[in-house]
Amino acid sequence: MKKYLALILALVMTCGVLAGCSGNGGNGGDTAAANNTQTTNTGSDTGTTTPAAATTDWPKDNVTMVVPYSAGGDTDTYCRQMCKLLTEKLGVNFVVVNTTGGAGVVASSSVMGAKNDGYTALFHHTGVMMTQEAAGSNEFSFLNDFEVVGSIARDDTYALIVKSDSQWTDLESLIAWAKANPGQLKYSITYYGATHAVAEAMEREMGIEMNNIDVGSSTGDRLTAFLAGQCDALVVNFMNIADYVENGDFRVLGICAEERLPGLEQFPTLKEQGYNVVQPKIYEVRFPKGTDQAIVDKLSAAMAEVAASEEFKSVLATYYAQPFYRNGADSIAQDTETVNELKEFFAE
């Protein structure tokens, strides 16, 4: 079973890599690989918004945007910036509600069961959603039980880190130690998430075996465990560790990106060091199934405007991420294709 799971997670990562190879820059919370087709970095619309969007008077009241992770992480941060600009554009408050638990399952289930009136939506990232979908680990479907509005942002800054006072001064010293001590390197993992995908890829690419420890799905939980010495290494979006790195507390061994990122050029990628471990995260919005298409279209059009705005681009750049708009039809088409490929592996 582990063999098949490794194949599934590896393919998820590969699909995300292929989707991102035509674009640059900044997968939790936590995610397994994104399965998406790159759109323009400026956030321009790659699809059409139907005229139905003009026929609805939605929104007339506050809109709740549910985030599956604690406040302060990458998912929460990008959602809050999007909601700020949507509030300005649509004239009602877009309110972020953090609902943790079950690697995003609690939040996703709550939105799936909410009224489909356009006033409750899910802000999540493709890594976790698509891996869970392919593995059949949930009692619901991200493909079939939601209305997909579109994507808004992309982050390729997943960094493999150790403490600066550890014995590992670079990636090769870590690999050498892990090979000499199989199963002893403690790695922070969230099962069916991006950290899980990275773990499987690292073990395959580097020829090592790690002791994968699930210390919680939120970035805060994983950083707390890391600081307390419960794990030796972890991957995390750079925005969450920038201060630690600047202060000399953490050492970055590599970035899980196709190529070095603007603003983070001092850190080599794992790929350029000879290990094909690439993990993007793409952030999408979903409504409960049956939400009026006019509402879906209107929010999607507003998201396209947000992604194209200089303010959104500027804010994301401070976290080494980038706007990444893709409409609902394009998102679900690519997601469906990738999940179907993953299910074929799962069935073998």
Side-chain angles (χ1 to χ4, degrees):
M1 193 66 177
K2 181 178 180 181
K3 173 183 177 184
Y4 294 142
L5 182 56
L7 286 172
I8 288 173
L9 292 170
L11 183 55
V12 174
M13 294 181 69
T14 301
C15 293
V17 171
L18 290 175
C21 63
S22 63
N24 201 16
N27 304 193
D30 182 19
T31 90
N35 55 320
N36 300 282
T37 302
Q38 175 73 44
T39 63
T40 175
N41 292 349
T42 60
S44 60
D45 195 348
T46 60
T48 57
T49 301
T50 68
T55 67
T56 178
D57 59 357
W58 175 93
K60 296 184 290 184
D61 201 353
N62 294 344
V63 178
T64 297
M65 196 68 63
V66 179
V67 172
Y69 308 105
S70 303
D74 50 284
T75 310
D76 175 77
T77 298
Y78 302 150
C79 182
R80 289 181 186 277
Q81 183 59 31
M82 178 192 74
C83 286
K84 172 183 178 294
L85 296 176
L86 287 175
T87 294
E88 296 172 2
K89 288 184 176 297
L90 296 177
V92 303
N93 291 323
F94 278 73
V95 181
V96 177
V97 174
N98 301 93
T99 304
T100 61
V105 173
V106 174
S108 302
S109 298
S110 71
V111 173
M112 184 186 69
K115 292 179 63 176
N116 57 1
D117 56 4
Y119 292 97
T120 305
L122 176 69
F123 188 94
H124 205 344
H125 54 77
T126 53
V128 166
M129 291 189 290
M130 295 307 106
T131 303
Q132 290 178 352
E133 184 75 17
S137 59
N138 300 331
E139 295 182 356
F140 61 86
S141 169
F142 284 110
L143 297 178
N144 302 320
D145 295 330
F146 295 89
E147 301 295 344
V148 181
V149 181
S151 67
I152 190 71
R154 178 185 180 113
D155 188 319
D156 291 85
T157 68
Y158 241 7
L160 173 64
I161 62 171
V162 295
K163 290 182 181 177
S164 295
D165 61 3
S166 73
Q167 61 184 297
W168 305 297
T169 58
D170 55 22
L171 181 61
E172 290 305 323
S173 63
L174 179 86
I175 294 173
W177 188 91
K179 286 182 176 180
N181 300 273
Q184 298 301 307
L185 181 68
K186 293 178 292 184
Y187 171 87
S188 171
I189 193 171
T190 299
Y191 286 101
Y192 300 114
T195 52
H196 195 168
V198 171
E200 293 288 346
M202 285 175 58
E203 290 183 330
R204 182 186 69 248
E205 289 284 319
M206 300 173 184
I208 62 176
E209 180 183 351
M210 299 186 293
N211 178 13
N212 296 320
I213 303 173
D214 192 343
V215 297
S217 61
S218 75
T219 300
D221 290 340
R222 298 194 303 116
L223 278 174
T224 298
F226 181 64
L227 289 166
Q230 296 177 34
C231 51
D232 302 314
L234 78 158
V235 289
V236 63
N237 291 79
F238 190 82
M239 65 166 287
N240 299 303
I241 57 166
D243 290 342
Y244 291 100
V245 174
E246 183 177 349
N247 292 336
D249 300 317
F250 295 170
R251 178 177 294 124
V252 177
L253 302 185
I255 305 291
C256 301
E258 280 286 337
E259 56 188 27
R260 296 200 188 198
L261 303 175
L264 299 177
E265 292 92 348
Q266 69 271 38
F267 303 120
T269 67
L270 296 179
K271 186 170 184 178
E272 73 180 80
Q273 296 180 76
Y275 307 101
N276 189 24
V277 182
V278 179
Q279 179 58 63
K281 295 171 73 174
I282 296 177
Y283 304 81
E284 292 184 344
V285 174
R286 279 167 162 73
F287 274 133
K289 189 71 174 179
T291 301
D292 188 342
Q293 188 63 43
I295 295 175
V296 175
D297 292 341
K298 189 170 184 178
L299 179 56
S300 185
M303 286 170 56
E305 294 179 11
V306 167
S309 71
E310 287 302 316
E311 180 176 351
F312 192 66
K313 181 179 180 179
S314 176
V315 170
L316 263 61
T318 65
Y319 303 112
Y320 313 100
Q322 64 180 353
F324 187 91
Y325 174 75
R326 188 180 55 189
N327 67 20
D330 291 341
S331 297
I332 198 64
Q334 184 62 55
D335 289 351
T336 300
E337 180 181 339
T338 301
V339 169
N340 286 339
E341 292 172 355
L342 297 173
K343 285 182 176 180
E344 291 180 10
F345 274 93
F346 205 48
E348 291 180 359

